[in-house]
Amino acid sequence: MDEVMGKDRGKIAHLFEGCQAALVWSCLQNCMGRAWADRLDYPEAAQIIVGDFCFFAGKANEALVKNIPVDFMSDEVLMVPQNESWEFLIRKIYGTAARGFARYAIKKEGDIFDRARLKRFVDKVSDPYCLKEIDRELYHKVLQHEWSKDFCALYKNYEDYRMHGLGYVALYRGEPVSGASAYGYYRSGIEIEVDTKTGYRRQGLAAACAARLILECLSRNIYP
């Protein structure tokens, strides 16, 4: 098993052919994350880790399934098997520690967003709430709380986030209570993280933050 660095990541791209996961694109494009393969010359199996997520592709490989870096950022690994062979191997290795869950892919299409509808979500926000783009001060604030840290956690520092990320939060008395932000990025788009603090949900705040973020992405030619 070898870690795949830099330009060598092109050698594993064919294993992920057809994959629509933005975080996989992020790693293959050397934007974020780390990658491993069963070997560097003509690899048959690969693993990509970005944030909490771990993606597998190619021929199911035991060494890759067991590969959890010592500096992994979370207590849980969200493993995404490419097929049933990978899923079987994950369950075989981790036993009852492996719990299945469903994730729903969003179809990626061209300019299909209803800007007028998105603006209506934004316009519904009123006192005592307001929307604000994540700046330096808010970047540090969201990192302080478990519910919001994933808005910016994958970036090295604020300058890295300012360069590659983008996000909006809903403020209540100056404190973030909901938000939508670029969890990860690739060359032409972002993977969006949306969350709301318990006690402030079911008020349209997440919808407003996400809508504001999508509108800004569209204005910058970034795919949300």
Side-chain angles (χ1 to χ4, degrees):
M1 184 181 69
D2 297 294
E3 184 164 5
V4 187
M5 311 285 285
K7 293 181 180 179
D8 281 338
R9 289 183 180 174
K11 296 179 180 179
I12 64 171
H14 69 284
L15 298 172
F16 292 94
E17 187 174 359
C19 179
Q20 292 289 300
L23 296 180
V24 168
W25 298 348
S26 176
C27 186
L28 293 176
Q29 294 174 8
N30 291 308
C31 297
M32 282 182 157
R34 299 173 69 183
W36 289 263
D38 56 335
R39 58 178 180 270
L40 289 179
D41 293 330
Y42 306 105
E44 294 184 333
Q47 172 192 28
I48 280 176
I49 292 180
V50 182
D52 295 334
F53 293 88
C54 173
F55 301 86
F56 298 108
K59 185 178 179 180
N61 181 285
E62 184 171 333
L64 292 176
V65 173
K66 290 181 176 179
N67 180 43
I68 301 176
V70 293
D71 59 349
F72 188 76
M73 63 180 292
S74 177
D75 293 333
E76 293 184 325
V77 186
L78 302 180
M79 292 184 170
V80 185
Q82 187 181 57
N83 50 45
E84 291 182 354
S85 296
W86 283 104
E87 181 179 352
F88 174 81
L89 196 54
I90 291 169
R91 293 187 182 279
K92 176 184 176 182
I93 291 171
Y94 293 105
T96 57
R99 293 177 290 107
F101 67 100
R103 295 186 74 228
Y104 296 89
I106 295 175
K107 186 176 181 181
K108 294 179 175 62
E109 300 176 279
D111 188 10
I112 61 163
F113 294 99
D114 185 339
R115 288 171 168 81
R117 187 179 184 212
L118 292 171
K119 189 174 184 303
R120 288 196 293 272
F121 282 122
V122 175
D123 291 342
K124 287 181 180 179
V125 177
S126 59
D127 287 339
Y129 302 103
C130 67
L131 299 186
K132 187 175 180 182
E133 184 175 350
I134 296 177
D135 56 13
R136 186 183 298 273
E137 179 183 359
L138 289 171
Y139 168 86
H140 292 292
K141 277 190 175 184
V142 300
L143 287 176
Q144 293 173 5
H145 304 285
E146 189 66 28
W147 75 268
S148 60
K149 67 179 184 180
D150 280 346
F151 290 157
C152 302
L154 298 194
Y155 299 86
K156 299 174 184 176
N157 48 44
Y158 172 69
E159 294 305 322
D160 186 30
Y161 180 80
R162 184 179 65 83
M163 182 73 66
H164 301 294
L166 178 65
Y168 288 85
V169 291
L171 300 178
Y172 176 73
R173 295 180 178 175
E175 294 298 317
V177 294
S178 182
S181 179
Y183 179 77
Y185 74 96
Y186 56 102
R187 290 174 190 165
S188 59
I190 61 172
E191 170 91 357
I192 296 177
E193 171 83 10
V194 185
D195 208 344
T196 300
K197 186 177 181 179
T198 302
Y200 296 89
R201 296 173 180 171
R202 310 299 296 175
Q203 300 183 62
L205 297 176
C209 290
R212 182 67 184 89
L213 176 55
I214 291 171
L215 287 169
E216 185 62 24
C217 284
L218 297 177
S219 72
R220 299 189 190 189
N221 198 31
I222 298 170
Y223 189 83

